[in-house]
Amino acid sequence: YRTSLWELLVAGFTDVGEDDRQQYYGKRRLQWARFRHRSTGKTAFVANHHGPLPISVGGGCAGSACSLNIMRAIAENAHLTDAIILTGDFNAGRDSSRFKELANRLHHVYTGTAMGGIDHFFSNCAGRAAGHNLGNGGSDHDALSVTLNF
């Protein structure tokens, strides 16, 4: 982030899910931080998540439960006036319970195309958002760019 524009207020992480036994690497976290814009004083809660495997699996700690744990972490750490930005490789397509549960609670802003669309952006700020796929970013995912105006 641009330290000349944003002041870090607080940061943390919490476990929100766990891989299924069939493709187990461990627990999955939500990393988050709150920022204040230096000139406007507006605040943003930004969170990133790398979701449980296998892709789009439900049940246990991988489906809707993971999404509800994400929302609980946001509720416990964001402030009422924060713009909320949630992004990451969710390892879940748009037809998964994980995606649908989040889309019921936050505005879906943008989804990439890699692996059928498992990289997502969500926010509590409706409208005035633009997303772009910048192509291969040097990994098995595309580089994505989203602009939110709040």
Side-chain angles (χ1 to χ4, degrees), residues 23-41:
Q23 196 174 358
Y24 192 82
Y25 291 94
K27 294 184 178 181
R28 300 300 179 126
R29 289 185 167 167
L30 180 76
Q31 299 84 21
W32 58 267
R34 287 191 69 240
F35 299 93
R36 180 181 4 241
H37 193 268
R38 292 186 186 277
S39 63
T40 67

Side-chain angles (χ1 to χ4, degrees), residues 7 25 32 39 43 60 63 77 79 87 89-90 113 130 134 142 147:
E7 171 191 4
Y25 291 94
W32 58 267
S39 63
T43 54
N77 296 289
H79 289 207
T87 185
D89 167 6
F90 289 81
T113 58
L134 304 175
D142 293 331
T147 302

Side-chain angles (χ1 to χ4, degrees), residues 17-123:
E18 189 168 9
D19 292 333
D20 191 73
R21 289 182 206 165
Q22 61 184 311
Q23 196 174 358
Y24 192 82
Y25 291 94
K27 294 184 178 181
R28 300 300 179 126
R29 289 185 167 167
L30 180 76
Q31 299 84 21
W32 58 267
R34 287 191 69 240
F35 299 93
R36 180 181 4 241
H37 193 268
R38 292 186 186 277
S39 63
T40 67
K42 291 183 179 181
T43 54
F45 179 91
V46 181
N48 183 64
H49 174 61
H50 189 187
L53 289 168
I55 291 175
S56 295
V57 72
C61 294
S64 297
C66 178
S67 296
L68 293 171
N69 288 337
I70 289 170
M71 293 307 302
R72 183 179 59 226
I74 291 171
E76 290 173 352
N77 296 289
H79 289 207
L80 188 59
T81 58
D82 289 350
I84 296 170
I85 302 160
L86 172 62
T87 185
D89 167 6
F90 289 81
N91 280 324
R94 292 177 71 158
D95 61 341
S96 70
S97 62
R98 209 175 315 161
F99 177 91
K100 290 176 182 176
E101 198 68 50
L102 288 170
N104 282 336
R105 289 162 171 72
L106 293 170
H107 300 284
H108 170 242
V109 175
Y110 190 73
T111 293
T113 58
M115 290 176 246
I118 61 172
D119 303 314
H120 308 289
F121 287 81
F122 296 91
S123 179

